[in-house]
Amino acid sequence: MAEHCIVQPCKRYVSVFLLFSATLNTMYAVTHYSIPEEMEEGSVIANLASDLGLNMNSLSKRKMRLDVIANTKYLDVNKETGELYIVERLDRESLCTTKTATSCFLKMDATIENPIRMFNIELEIMDINDNAPHFRRDTMDLDISESTPVGERFSLNNAVDPDVGSNTVKTYHLSESEHFNIEIQTGRDGAKFADLILKKALDREQQAVHNLILTAVDGGVPARSGTANIIVRVLDTNDNAPKFNTDTYNIDIMENSPIGSLVVKLNATDLDEGTNSEITYSYSLYTSEKTQGTFSLNANNGEITVKEMINYEDFRIYDMEVIATDKGANSLSSQCKLTILVTDMNDNHPEMSIKSFQSPIKENVAIDTVLAVVSVSDKDSGENGIVNIHIADQLPFALRESSDNYYELVVSQPLDREKVPEYEITFTVTDRGSPPLSDNETMTLELLDVNDNVPQFPQSFYTIPVMENNAPGALLSSLTAFDPDLHENQYLVYFIIEKEIVNTSMSMLFSINPENGNLYALKTFDYEIEKEFLFHIEARDSGVPPLSSNVTVHIIIVDQNDNTPVIVSPWRAHGSVVEEKIPRSTDKGSLVSKVIAIDTDSVQNSRITYQFLQVTDATLFSLDQYNGEIRTMRMFSYRDPRHQRLVVIAKDNGDPALSATVTIKLSTVETAVKAYSDMTEVPLEYDIFSDLNLYLVIGLGSVSFLLLITILVTCVLKCQKPKPSNAAPPSRNSVISERNSTIADSTLVSNDAYWYSLFLAETRKGKLVVRQPVPKAGSRYIVSSLPRSTGLTETSDSAASTLQYPK
């Protein structure tokens, strides 16, 4: 406990002042200590055992105790070490009953036993500046008349401070003010108080309330302060006379103003308040009886109103003088002069007369054509008798003055009935009076139609898709034009402008309803034969002379999936079954056969995909769904059957899809068969023409003849060009070699008719021609022939390949 009491005050840097003045040898001597108030709990004041000369080692046996008279809760003594320490915080202001006492003592008795001894201890509590001055009232209200003389004093409440000595109230400060200051007084008991002194005269009209702050400051270090608000209200005296806004009023009033109408409202103001600012109005003696009889003055609000009818011809100027008086004890007053000028009233409306007004008129009337003549007049005189006439600015008409007070209405802009069929023309006449008077009259001008608009189609170009295989007489579209004219000028008739296509007139293919423009198809179209038509349709009105316009119509025939794929490879001499032979030792990935199908449809409908419909062993063969190549997936084993049956379906991409199938029977042989890549012909072991009829032979011969002529013509054209070329060595397996890419594209690839002729010519010889994609420029185009027993092979740079079957 002793250690705690010593360390704790050191941490807070509290200085404890001890005043030890006693005689320790005397039994009843008084031990005196002095400490500041507000020391922390646990702070050690002194060591009683040491100060009283007691043995430290015997303290615990002698049971030292401390008796604090009437205040036992604040102090205690450590029975082990004899240290006197603080148990509870000491507040001098709460311990000392006399607040103004300069000293405060706490008396105690220290008692020990064996033998018993008693010591008198006196503890002086010293004051610190722990309280700020404060006023009993935070706000002080003062009412001071604005007529109070300078130097007048007003008592203020003083501030109190529970501290004593130099820590109590020392002085006062007043916030800055040009009208007030303070004077500090000291009472007999040393208390400080302040008086408020008026140093400058008050004027309520300039400032009605003054807010001041009084601050009390004590003498402590550091000093503390407290504040109070002083509110000074300035009381009014009748020191201001009423004042008008102006000393002279000039007022204009119209004759025949209604009785009771307001002429003017006088406004006099008084800066005083209360009854000192209440004002009454009255006529002075300088106002004539006639004026007072013509105009009435309201004594309370200063309103002057018309009392009798005013006639400009009887009296034109009225003079009057009005007095404003306040209601103060010593009333003050002021006056103003009024001059009322009577203004002549514009009481006659202008008049007009419209003559020779033409309606209706044609919309193509010439500019400057006179449509009407208007005369104006006004019975008033002067400015009130001068008349102006006008019409709306946005109208395509103008008024042109022809003579005094006579005007002509003429056409100023071209007229268009289709934009505005009729006009409401309002003539407005206005005089120059104040306020001006006016009159108006409205006439309706109707326009007659002229055939000045050609028929207009909503579009300049129509693209109409038509699905092939359409029904004859089907409605294709409605091509309706619009003509903004009226009656016969807007009645339209539609025609198809004749145009022949391959000796066929458009009127034989299409028909249009002459009344409503509905377009019909007269025949069924086939996309594979006719893909589009381009012609014009004319719309003609019934005006005189008639006007017309035409529009271009583009008919696009849309393809339908109406053609079934045709399998052209492998070649099927009899029925739909193809028999092939392959070596049993064929390697994995070898080409076994290739299925090729063609479709005369276009775009999506002609895209062919291939699939196995049936296969003897699904693990042995694979089929490329895009190019139709059938290849081995592995080598043949001794367990695999010697005969394999493959059913391939070729399906187009139409909706619904169409398809064709081919059955390939494969037989494996032990003898080696020449590879497909060998581009040699094997003699046919049977006559492929044995089952063909005579007509087929004649037809194929004709096609072959046409093909030969085409090749000869192509060769002649090629030879005529000066471009040198190296001839390829002859080969019986090659039909065309090292063709230029442009020639190949135009004769072998892009020309479907030529390719089909080549196909028929080669099939007559027992070969199968396969059309390949167009290669890059400079590549070779080869027609190859293969034995029928070995199937079909194809090189990557060929444009067409030929299969040959053994005879």
Side-chain angles (χ1 to χ4, degrees):
M1 177 65 71
E3 181 180 358
H4 171 74
C5 296
I6 293 173
V7 175
Q8 189 68 19
C10 295
K11 290 183 178 180
R12 297 190 59 190
Y13 304 98
V14 178
S15 301
V16 179
F17 302 94
L18 298 179
L19 205 17
F20 180 72
S21 59
T23 304
L24 298 179
N25 295 330
T26 304
M27 180 177 181
Y28 295 100
V30 178
T31 303
H32 182 85
Y33 298 100
S34 296
I35 63 171
E37 62 175 330
E38 304 293 341
M39 288 184 66
E40 292 186 358
E41 297 176 1
S43 299
V44 176
I45 298 173
N47 193 310
L48 291 180
S50 176
D51 294 341
L52 297 176
L54 301 178
N55 186 0
M56 295 286 186
N57 299 326
S58 62
L59 285 179
S60 59
K61 296 179 180 180
R62 300 186 68 177
K63 299 180 180 180
M64 187 178 187
R65 66 180 181 273
L66 184 69
D67 295 325
V68 182
I69 302 173
N71 290 293
T72 58
K73 62 180 180 177
Y74 293 104
L75 301 171
D76 200 357
V77 64
N78 191 321
K79 296 178 177 56
E80 299 292 334
T81 63
E83 290 178 340
L84 179 64
Y85 63 91
I86 296 174
V87 177
E88 186 176 337
R89 185 179 63 86
L90 298 173
D91 185 8
R92 193 196 69 80
E93 286 76 26
S94 63
L95 289 174
C96 296
T97 57
T98 304
K99 305 298 182 182
T100 59
T102 57
S103 60
C104 180
F105 295 93
L106 188 62
K107 298 185 180 297
M108 300 168 286
D109 292 332
T111 306
I112 59 174
E113 299 178 359
N114 301 320
I116 187 169
R117 291 182 65 184
M118 181 176 293
F119 303 92
N120 292 329
I121 300 172
E122 183 181 69
L123 181 64
E124 182 180 3
I125 310 300
M126 312 217 29
D127 182 53
I128 63 173
N129 191 23
D130 58 343
N131 291 282
H134 69 278
F135 292 88
R136 292 184 177 88
R137 291 192 303 171
D138 294 336
T139 303
M140 291 176 276
D141 296 316
L142 295 177
D143 292 335
I144 303 175
S145 174
E146 63 178 329
S147 60
T148 300
V150 175
E152 190 75 16
R153 305 171 70 92
F154 303 92
S155 297
L156 301 175
N157 294 331
N158 64 317
V160 294
D161 192 329
D163 294 325
V164 295
S166 61
N167 294 330
T168 190
V169 178
K170 182 179 181 180
T171 186
Y172 293 91
H173 300 288
L174 184 67
S175 60
E176 184 177 353
S177 173
E178 63 175 336
H179 293 278
F180 299 94
N181 60 12
I182 59 173
E183 184 176 302
I184 302 173
Q185 304 292 336
T186 304
R188 292 180 179 275
D189 57 354
K192 303 287 185 178
F193 59 90
D195 288 340
L196 186 66
I197 309 298
L198 180 62
K199 67 177 182 180
K200 182 179 179 181
L202 300 175
D203 188 350
R204 189 203 64 81
E205 287 71 35
Q206 292 184 357
Q207 187 173 354
V209 178
H210 297 265
N211 293 304
L212 308 174
I213 298 177
L214 182 63
T215 304
V217 183
D218 62 21
V221 179
R224 293 175 177 265
S225 62
T227 60
N229 294 324
I230 302 174
I231 300 176
V232 179
R233 295 182 178 86
V234 183
L235 301 179
D236 181 58
T237 58
N238 191 23
D239 57 347
N240 291 280
K243 186 177 181 181
F244 288 96
N245 294 338
T246 180
D247 295 335
T248 304
Y249 290 87
N250 293 315
I251 303 168
D252 294 329
I253 185 172
M254 295 296 299
E255 68 171 327
N256 300 327
S257 295
I259 296 176
S261 60
L262 179 66
V263 177
V264 66
K265 182 178 181 180
L266 301 177
N267 183 27
T269 57
D270 195 318
L271 300 178
D272 296 322
E273 65 178 359
T275 57
N276 296 332
S277 64
E278 296 179 4
I279 300 173
T280 58
Y281 301 88
S282 61
Y283 285 120
S284 71
L285 298 177
Y286 297 99
T287 304
S288 66
E289 295 293 333
K290 179 175 179 58
T291 301
Q292 295 185 31
T294 306
F295 301 97
S296 175
L297 173 63
N298 189 313
N300 295 322
N301 56 24
E303 289 183 352
I304 298 177
T305 57
V306 177
K307 190 175 182 180
E308 292 182 352
M309 291 298 296
I310 301 173
N311 194 334
Y312 174 82
E313 288 71 25
D314 294 342
F315 210 78
R316 300 182 181 182
I317 301 176
Y318 293 89
D319 293 317
M320 64 179 68
E321 185 178 72
V322 177
I323 300 174
T325 307
D326 62 28
K327 296 181 180 180
N330 298 318
S331 61
L332 301 176
S333 63
S334 64
Q335 60 277 342
C336 69
K337 293 182 178 180
L338 290 87
T339 300
I340 299 178
L341 303 176
V342 180
T343 304
D344 184 26
M345 186 176 179
N346 184 24
D347 51 358
N348 290 286
H349 288 265
E351 298 177 352
M352 65 177 162
S353 175
I354 302 175
K355 305 174 182 178
S356 305
F357 185 79
Q358 300 182 35
S359 180
I361 61 172
K362 290 187 177 182
E363 61 176 323
N364 60 348
V365 64
I367 295 178
D368 286 339
T369 300
V370 178
L371 303 179
V373 177
V374 184
S375 64
V376 297
S377 62
D378 194 318
K379 296 179 181 180
D380 293 325
S381 60
E383 290 293 322
N384 296 333
I386 299 176
V387 178
N388 296 324
I389 181 171
H390 69 276
I391 60 175
D393 295 335
Q394 64 272 19
L395 294 177
F397 308 103
L399 286 171
R400 185 172 58 196
E401 187 174 5
S402 59
S403 60
D404 291 342
N405 296 330
Y406 281 89
Y407 297 87
E408 293 177 344
L409 178 67
V410 298
V411 178
S412 61
Q413 299 176 18
L415 304 180
D416 189 351
R417 187 208 62 81
E418 287 72 34
K419 293 181 178 178
V420 183
E422 66 179 19
Y423 292 92
E424 297 289 334
I425 305 175
T426 300
F427 300 88
T428 303
V429 290
T430 307
D431 61 25
R432 298 184 183 178
S434 179
L437 298 179
S438 63
D439 193 9
N440 60 74
E441 186 172 348
T442 301
M443 306 296 290
T444 300
L445 177 63
E446 182 182 356
L447 300 183
L448 299 177
D449 183 54
V450 175
N451 189 26
D452 55 350
N453 291 279
V454 298
Q456 296 292 330
F457 286 93
Q459 302 174 213
S460 60
F461 190 90
Y462 285 88
T463 299
I464 304 174
V466 178
M467 191 68 66
E468 69 170 326
N469 302 320
N470 60 296
L475 176 65
L476 302 183
S477 181
S478 181
L479 310 177
T480 304
F482 172 74
D483 193 323
D485 292 326
L486 288 179
H487 309 305
E488 67 276 0
N489 295 331
Q490 71 171 174
Y491 296 149
L492 303 181
V493 180
Y494 300 89
F495 306 92
I496 294 178
I497 299 178
E498 289 297 333
K499 177 182 179 182
E500 290 189 357
I501 301 178
V502 193
N503 299 325
T504 301
S505 174
M506 279 296 166
S507 59
M508 298 177 63
L509 302 177
F510 303 97
S511 173
I512 191 169
N513 189 318
E515 296 181 356
N516 55 26
N518 288 343
L519 183 65
Y520 301 91
L522 298 181
K523 61 167 288 186
T524 301
F525 298 107
D526 187 352
Y527 175 83
E528 285 70 33
I529 299 176
E530 302 156 318
K531 291 182 173 56
E532 62 180 358
F533 299 95
L534 193 68
F535 57 92
H536 300 282
I537 290 180
E538 178 182 313
R540 183 185 306 161
D541 61 26
S542 302
V544 179
L547 300 177
S548 64
S549 63
N550 59 69
V551 67
T552 302
V553 178
H554 185 200
I555 304 294
I556 298 176
I557 308 303
V558 180
D559 181 48
Q560 277 187 334
N561 192 26
D562 56 348
N563 291 282
T564 303
V566 177
I567 296 177
V568 298
S569 175
W571 176 254
R572 294 164 292 174
H574 305 283
S576 61
V577 179
V578 178
E579 295 183 358
E580 301 285 354
K581 292 182 180 181
I582 60 175
R584 195 169 184 83
S585 59
T586 300
D587 293 334
K588 174 183 177 181
S590 298
L591 180 63
V592 175
S593 181
K594 182 170 184 179
V595 179
I596 299 177
I598 60 175
D599 194 319
T600 56
D601 291 322
S602 64
V603 196
Q604 297 291 338
N605 297 330
S606 64
R607 293 182 182 178
I608 307 297
T609 57
Y610 305 91
Q611 295 177 352
F612 276 133
L613 196 59
Q614 293 180 11
V615 59
T616 303
D617 189 346
T619 65
L620 189 56
F621 301 100
S622 65
L623 173 63
D624 190 302
Q625 64 174 340
Y626 298 110
N627 60 24
E629 290 183 351
I630 302 176
R631 294 182 180 271
T632 57
M633 297 174 62
R634 60 179 175 83
M635 294 185 66
F636 289 95
S637 67
Y638 69 94
R639 295 181 179 178
D640 293 327
R642 296 181 61 84
H643 301 283
Q644 300 286 337
R645 185 175 184 271
L646 308 177
V647 179
V648 179
I649 182 171
K651 185 186 300 183
D652 61 24
N653 200 34
D655 185 17
L658 301 178
S659 63
T661 61
V662 61
T663 302
I664 302 175
K665 291 183 178 181
L666 296 178
S667 300
T668 58
V669 295
E670 298 296 339
T671 57
V673 181
K674 188 170 292 291
Y676 297 158
S677 58
D678 296 340
M679 307 300 288
T680 59
E681 294 185 8
V682 178
L684 295 175
E685 297 179 358
Y686 59 92
D687 188 3
I688 191 172
F689 303 105
S690 59
D691 295 331
L692 296 180
N693 54 49
L694 179 60
Y695 299 103
L696 179 59
V697 173
I698 295 173
L700 293 177
S702 302
V703 173
S704 299
F705 178 74
L706 293 175
L707 175 62
L708 180 59
I709 292 176
T710 303
I711 293 174
L712 292 176
V713 172
T714 303
C715 292
V716 171
L717 293 176
K718 181 66 176 179
C719 293
Q720 289 178 353
K721 293 185 178 180
K723 182 178 178 180
S725 61
N726 296 327
S731 172
R732 64 190 185 94
N733 295 328
S734 175
V735 177
I736 302 172
S737 61
E738 294 188 351
R739 288 280 188 177
N740 180 272
S741 61
T742 304
I743 300 299
D745 184 80
S746 61
T747 59
L748 294 181
V749 178
S750 299
N751 195 326
D752 291 337
Y754 171 76
W755 186 89
Y756 191 68
S757 300
L758 178 62
F759 166 74
L760 294 179
E762 292 300 316
T763 52
R764 184 181 61 81
K765 304 175 183 179
K767 301 177 182 179
L768 181 60
V769 178
V770 179
R771 187 179 184 184
Q772 299 299 326
V774 180
K776 296 180 181 179
S779 60
R780 297 173 180 269
Y781 294 83
I782 300 174
V783 178
S784 302
S785 61
L786 294 178
R788 177 178 176 84
S789 60
T790 59
L792 173 66
T793 61
E794 179 185 4
T795 60
S796 60
D797 63 347
S798 63
S801 57
T802 305
L803 297 182
Q804 182 173 357
Y805 298 94
K807 297 182 179 179

